[in-house]
Amino acid sequence: MAKENHSSTTEFILIGFTDHPVLKNLLFLVFFAIYLITMMGNLGLVALIFMDCRLHTPMYIFLGNLALMDSCCSCAITPKMLENFFSEDRKISFNECMVQFYFLCLAETADCFLLAAMAYDRYVAICSPLQYHTMMSKKLCIQMTIGTFIASNLHSMIHAGLLLRLTFCRSNKIDHFFCDILPLYRLSCTDPYINELMIYIFSMPIQIFTIATVLISYICILFTVFKMNSKEGRGKAFSTCASHFLSVSIFYICLLMYIRPSEEGEKDIPVAIFYTIVIPLLNPFIYSLRNKEVKNVLKNIMRNHIL
């Protein structure tokens, strides 16, 4: 009988925004607008990079894949959240929950690797400009991109697969607006020790490796820039890195705030909103508005279509 009780949960209730029932219409409109802008911005950037051969360089190939993963993250989280604003039961099935977590984990893991790859690309471009085409060949860029998606898929499959071993009997209410791994652990009747161990074995090394790659790349870039005699050269180097540095800073600050140790039941919804919804919205604008090449390609496409 106990076994039946342990395996009885086939759906969860997402209660992330139930504290603000009066604001549900406003919140729905705000998040719906963010979702539309995010999808148009990111998929538009992917299309722009795909259509123009001038943007078929390592930096833009990484950027296109980053935009694709931001779209994936937004698609995994926002539609269900919007539906729940007007849903009476706010339910999500167990299978939907696992799929949502899988795609979120895939997108965020890929983002970590892609941001690290972009940092290395900027390091080579500024510190070894004469060797750039050798050190960052198109073949290496494609290999790094394929490696990113293989590693991200394996990482997601491991964590999603291990969630299937858990049974849930304490409650079916997830104190969040999406299926996240830590709230699910809190609802588990099975000891999640192995699951938590896998976070330390797989997730932590990914974070350490990607953060270290970004930090070392930017330390080397700073040393190279400060050695430059020309103010114009320094300005150009900083301009080249500004968009990526801003994006990576926002991403990792939010990531570290989100995964920090917290007491059971503590809500991290504001940070989660920024991490999973706002960052995918900001990235295409950060990279487009400060990038002359992207703006020139966009102007040319618009001019050609108008004429």
Side-chain angles (χ1 to χ4, degrees):
M1 187 72 181
K3 188 175 181 182
E4 286 179 11
N5 288 338
H6 278 214
S7 59
S8 61
T9 301
T10 57
E11 59 189 14
F12 299 101
I13 299 172
L14 298 169
I15 59 171
F17 287 107
T18 51
D19 293 343
H20 309 283
V22 179
L23 297 175
K24 72 175 184 179
N25 291 330
L26 177 61
L27 289 172
F28 175 85
L29 290 173
V30 169
F31 286 120
F32 182 65
I34 288 174
Y35 179 62
L36 288 180
I37 296 167
T38 299
M39 296 307 294
M40 287 190 292
N42 282 292
L43 295 179
L45 189 57
V46 171
L48 204 66
I49 292 167
F50 179 78
M51 288 167 61
D52 199 288
C53 58
R54 286 172 293 178
L55 300 180
H56 292 179
T57 60
M59 184 64 177
Y60 292 107
I61 290 171
F62 293 139
L63 178 56
N65 283 286
L66 183 70
L68 200 61
M69 288 297 97
D70 283 343
S71 300
C72 176
C73 178
S74 190
C75 283
I77 300 296
T78 312
K80 189 65 182 177
M81 182 184 68
L82 293 174
E83 178 191 329
N84 283 341
F85 279 120
F86 297 102
S87 171
E88 291 183 6
D89 51 28
R90 308 173 68 85
K91 288 179 181 177
I92 182 170
S93 71
F94 181 83
N95 290 336
E96 281 182 297
C97 193
M98 294 301 104
V99 170
Q100 187 183 62
F101 170 74
Y102 171 81
F103 281 107
L104 175 65
C105 186
L106 169 67
E108 299 303 344
T109 307
D111 276 3
C112 290
F113 282 118
L114 290 167
L115 288 169
M118 291 166 78
Y120 175 73
D121 176 80
R122 292 301 84 199
Y123 156 74
V124 176
I126 292 170
C127 300
S128 304
L130 298 178
Q131 297 176 306
Y132 180 77
H133 292 292
T134 305
M135 294 176 68
M136 275 303 296
S137 64
K138 198 168 184 180
K139 181 181 178 182
L140 177 61
C141 173
I142 292 168
Q143 287 173 342
M144 290 171 75
T145 304
I146 292 171
T148 290
F149 285 108
I150 291 173
S152 300
N153 268 290
L154 288 173
H155 184 239
S156 304
M157 287 167 67
I158 287 167
H159 289 300
L162 285 169
L163 282 174
L164 298 175
R165 65 177 283 275
L166 302 180
T167 52
F168 303 94
C169 63
R170 292 177 184 172
S171 172
N172 68 337
K173 292 181 179 179
I174 299 176
D175 195 10
H176 220 310
F177 61 92
F178 63 90
C179 286
D180 197 14
I181 196 166
L182 295 180
L184 286 170
Y185 287 171
R186 294 185 191 119
L187 301 182
S188 173
C189 301
T190 311
D191 186 357
Y193 169 75
I194 294 174
N195 301 63
E196 291 169 347
L197 184 63
M198 292 301 107
I199 290 177
Y200 287 103
I201 291 174
F202 292 104
S203 303
M204 292 301 290
I206 289 172
Q207 298 304 326
I208 292 167
F209 170 74
T210 54
I211 291 172
T213 301
V214 171
L215 287 175
I216 292 168
S217 297
Y218 273 102
I219 288 168
C220 293
I221 288 169
L222 283 173
F223 275 117
T224 302
V225 169
F226 286 130
K227 287 179 183 177
M228 293 178 178
N229 297 321
S230 165
K231 284 186 178 180
E232 186 181 339
R234 280 197 215 110
K236 189 176 180 182
F238 280 127
S239 177
T240 302
C241 296
S243 297
H244 178 260
F245 184 75
L246 178 60
S247 176
V248 81
S249 299
I250 295 170
F251 179 83
Y252 279 112
I253 288 169
C254 291
L255 175 64
L256 293 174
M257 286 177 66
Y258 190 63
I259 64 173
R260 76 190 190 281
S262 61
E263 294 179 6
E264 187 171 334
E266 181 185 342
K267 286 189 177 182
D268 284 318
I269 287 178
V271 180
I273 289 170
F274 209 87
Y275 179 56
T276 59
I277 296 173
V278 177
I279 288 178
L281 168 71
L282 294 178
N283 275 342
F285 296 101
I286 290 172
Y287 285 104
S288 300
L289 296 177
R290 291 188 57 85
N291 193 302
K292 289 181 181 178
E293 288 178 309
V294 172
K295 286 194 285 187
N296 289 336
V297 169
L298 187 58
K299 284 176 185 175
N300 289 338
I301 290 173
M302 289 175 69
R303 193 181 300 119
N304 291 337
H305 278 81
I306 290 169
L307 292 175

